[in-house]
Amino acid sequence: MYDADLYIWRNLMEDGTECLGDEQYLKAEKYYIQGLLKAYELTVPEIVAFTLRLLATVRVRLGNLEFAEEGFKEALRICQEIQNSKGMAEAWAGLASISVKKRMLPKAVEEYEQAIAVYPKSSPQLRLGMLYADMGQVYTALEKWTSAKNSYAKAVELCRLHGFPKGEAELDVLSGELCFRLGQKTEALGNLKHACQLFAQLQDMVALSTTLQYLALLYFDQNEMRLALESQQRAVSLCLKFDTKEVFSESCYFLSKIEQNLEDYQEARYYLELSVHFYPEQTIDLAIRYQNLGSLLFLSMDFTKSEIYYLKARNLFELYHDDQRKSEVYEALALLKGLREQKEGPLNTQDMPEDRSKLHREFTLEALIHLAEFYEKRHNDRDALECYWKALKRGRDAEVATDWIEYRVQQVSKRLRKKK
């Protein structure tokens, strides 16, 4: 009779666990409830506690936190009575997960510490590593950076010792992000590079792509644009093969930003157009891309297309009531209009001379200053400096005050020297 009941219980738990893995939480809960009834019939404390923990786990996923907490507490009580250390550790970890859900983070840290303290050395040490990793994430949420870093370091060591490279790589990424926050950028670079090596060995291309983008962001922050470009180009090529359209769009957008900083506006425009094409929704993020594309088209003197994208951006900014960005677009449209009014008709790139200096000669002093300011706001310092110099010459020829223009020339020149 006992063996038959045990067989039924085991099958119920296997079915429940399969549903849990498939995220069919309601079905899993039904199997675990039946399993718990059978566990009580078996009258084996370890089986009852184990079933209670699994039922509580699925209830956490369902958001039934009060029932889940009762289950973990009852499992903890049983395991404490029978001195089952592994069961106690898992029950404490379950209670910590509920505290995280309730945003009771200091309590969650205490519960993870309890779980780690009672975790037996004879049990799988990779699970202990995951407890350290979970505690590290809670410390991160509490902005206790040193404690988080120490927790991640212990988790990484356990993953390395017990042959779990995927866990080691994921923790390297978390450690890299944390070191970046702490200003420890050399260490952050080391962590992210090591994570890239491990993900490449594991052929986990989605994770490798994400990590390469973190690496590119770190290089970008340090103004190492060539290294940022190399990392982000690899990330984009991987995204195209292995990731979603939305992620590919985001990757192309960041690559466009890097190209803009390198003042390769043709490549920047290409990747920005890709980002717009693959962006899935009519959101404010798409409006920002339209605005940026309008600016790049302006810089390449394609005023007609520039106006089209500025108008697309304006419509979305109006839809989302973003008055500040809408004002920026109106300012750009006004500048476009002003430049056109100085010509005898609409400007078209196909009719324009390739030498932009010829076009600049036709601008008034005021238009040159507006154009320089436009370039400067978009971090195109080289073209801004060119326009300021032309404005300075025009002002001196007209014998007007040029102190302010001279100051802008000095400031923009200084920024260009820093870039070099």
Side-chain angles (χ1 to χ4, degrees), residues 95-111:
L95 289 169
S97 71
I98 292 172
S99 295
V100 170
K101 291 278 187 183
K102 291 181 174 180
R103 305 304 299 167
M104 300 166 63
L105 300 182
K107 184 180 180 185
V109 168
E110 292 175 5
E111 289 161 342

Side-chain angles (χ1 to χ4, degrees), residues 310-319 326 329-330 333:
Y310 275 133
L311 290 171
K312 286 183 176 183
R314 183 202 62 185
N315 291 342
L316 281 175
F317 288 142
E318 284 181 347
L319 182 64
K326 186 172 68 175
V329 170
Y330 275 121
L333 287 168

